[in-house]
Amino acid sequence: MNTSRRSFLLSSTLGVAGAAGLGRAMAEDAPPADKATFRLTRDIPVEEGYDVIVAGGGPGGVSAAIAAARLGAKVLLVEATGCLGGMGTSGLVSQWSHLGNGKEMLVGGLILEMVKRLCRGGQVEPGARGAFDKDENRYLGGVGFNPEALKVLLDELCREAGVEVRFFTRAIDADVDPADRRVRGVVTNNVEGYRYLRGTTFIDGTGDAVLADLCGAKCRAAGRDTPDIMPPTLCAMICDIDRARFNPGHQQAAVDRAIADGFFTQPDRHVSGLFYSTDNTATMNAGHMFHTDALNNRSLSDAAALGRRLVQEYVRFFKKYVPGCEKIQAVGTGSLVGVRESRRIVGEYELNFDDFQARRHFPDQIAVFASAVDVHVHDTSPEEYKRFREEFTKLGRLKPGESYGIPYGVLVPRGWANLWVAGRAVSTDVRMHGAIRLQASCSMMGQAAGTAAVQSLRAGQRANDLDTEALVLALRKAGAKLPQAALSKTMTRRA
């Protein structure tokens, strides 16, 4: 990294770019005349010398950064919180699910490396401890893990690979060439103030497509460009379950009894419930915050406070209605709200429900997955719960041995030269978003984005015109499980 003595002029009004080249100037008009405005102008330090800049250190972003750094790139990862891992750590969603399809392991590469290291270190729920002792491909299910152990592991992986990490740092603006759809740099803010970071390639791992939106890439926002918003929950870490008496399969019946008794403040039948993460702890995923707009700070702030109240309510529910939970305690709630849906890019390919129903695989697929369609209820009505159950159990569930591919084009905002998105903000329709928003698939997409970024800068290929045969071969070399027989140098695009 080189900190230049030169400065970059940041000039904006209410977040709308005022200086030529700042990304949002492409997509937004000036604020309405009747709105009070404040013009911010700053000369800020320039830092340069980075091959890959990643915004967001969740499952997609951290995997992208590690993959790129392992290939020899100079990588900077900026993360808004104080740890890596996103929903798996800060959000306390301490389980990786759908690692296989009931007959074979599907995940490979970085995410499988993480799973194995936590299993062998004893930092997983007891049932997964010996998962890989005898057969590298034997374990096919999910793995509950210690979120604190994952934080430490991700720090180690970044340090080993040579990733420079800046915690407590947000991307707040972008400098782009709108004609070429090329990012030149990002503006960040942390306790030291503003910085302009110049790079060659850029990856958005924010989960909310924050960087892509700042650049002016076309996106779709839940509840604005779609009729509904999948509601978040706030997860909590729970201790003191009586394992001998607790039966996870009895949770739904208990929910139904409590609703009949008028126990809950909202009659929400869709409760994911308790699942083990370690010997002595479990994650509680319960209590939807309906109609939360994760792209609106007031709405998200209200949801965080509501989520903490709902955690206490569900602790009381489990104590009263579920055998083995009479003494449970909530020892912590997530520092991140468990957002399921916010903003998605419009990519070179949009993975859709037709692809899911066809169990479609692609020559340029960069991941294979087998999660069901899991679009949570949008309200507490019986009709909406019936919709969810029928979609999840009939339309959206795969048979053992089935899977589908995730093509490269979902990672690339349409037309962009050096910008990728990894994680739940990739290009899908609503139902496919409900299937591939999980941590394991996000990690595989991140590894693909980081690998593609290095290929782009070394081969001089645009993100939207990458040699996908070379990409798939590179991912296979790094351990990804990509069984497609036919490869293609050009990506699959939506007509």
Side-chain angles (χ1 to χ4, degrees), residues 426-442:
V426 299
S427 180
T428 69
D429 70 5
V430 171
R431 282 172 162 172
M432 279 309 301
H433 172 76
I436 69 169
R437 58 184 171 80
L438 304 182
Q439 293 175 61
S441 53
C442 289

Side-chain angles (χ1 to χ4, degrees), residues 1 20 28 85 99 102 171 182 221 225 273 329 333 345 393 448 451 467 484:
M1 181 273 293
E28 298 184 12
L99 303 178
R182 184 178 295 274
D225 302 308
Q329 300 180 66
T333 55
I345 61 167
T393 60
T451 305
D467 180 344
Q484 63 266 35

Side-chain angles (χ1 to χ4, degrees), residues 179-195:
D180 193 33
R181 295 195 178 184
R182 184 178 295 274
V183 189
R184 295 184 290 229
V186 296
V187 179
T188 63
N189 185 47
N190 60 27
V191 70
E192 296 177 354
Y194 298 109
R195 290 292 186 275

Side-chain angles (χ1 to χ4, degrees), residues 4-10 42-46 196 198:
S4 172
R5 291 182 180 275
R6 292 173 295 158
S7 62
F8 176 80
L9 178 63
L10 172 68
R42 292 287 189 275
D43 288 319
I44 62 178
V46 174
Y196 175 87
R198 197 187 309 279

Side-chain angles (χ1 to χ4, degrees), residues 26-67:
M26 295 173 55
E28 298 184 12
D29 298 325
D34 61 343
K35 296 289 186 180
T37 63
F38 174 78
R39 179 168 293 276
L40 172 69
T41 302
R42 292 287 189 275
D43 288 319
I44 62 178
V46 174
E47 297 183 19
E48 48 197 358
Y50 296 107
D51 298 316
V52 183
I53 296 176
V54 183
V62 71
S63 296
I66 294 167

Side-chain angles (χ1 to χ4, degrees), residues 57-64 66 83-100 106-115 118 123-124 141-151 153-154 205 207 233 235-236 275-277 283-285 334 336-340 366-372 374 404 406 411 422-426 432-448:
V62 71
S63 296
I66 294 167
C83 68
L84 302 171
M87 293 313 303
T89 54
S90 296
L92 294 182
V93 187
S94 52
Q95 185 181 64
W96 289 311
S97 62
H98 296 87
L99 303 178
L106 296 179
V107 304
L110 269 171
I111 183 63
L112 186 57
E113 179 182 342
M114 295 176 206
V115 171
L118 289 186
Q123 297 296 330
V124 294
V143 175
F145 58 84
N146 180 346
E148 191 63 28
L150 179 58
K151 292 179 188 179
L153 174 59
L154 294 175
T233 49
C235 286
F275 50 87
Y276 291 117
S277 49
T283 288
M284 184 171 73
N285 187 354
L336 287 179
V337 171
V339 173
R340 294 183 171 88
I366 45 78
V368 176
F369 209 47
S371 172
D374 185 12
Y404 48 83
I406 301 176
L411 310 178
R424 63 178 168 81
V426 299
M432 279 309 301
H433 172 76
I436 69 169
R437 58 184 171 80
L438 304 182
Q439 293 175 61
S441 53
C442 289
S443 175
M444 292 188 288
M445 290 187 280
Q447 183 169 1

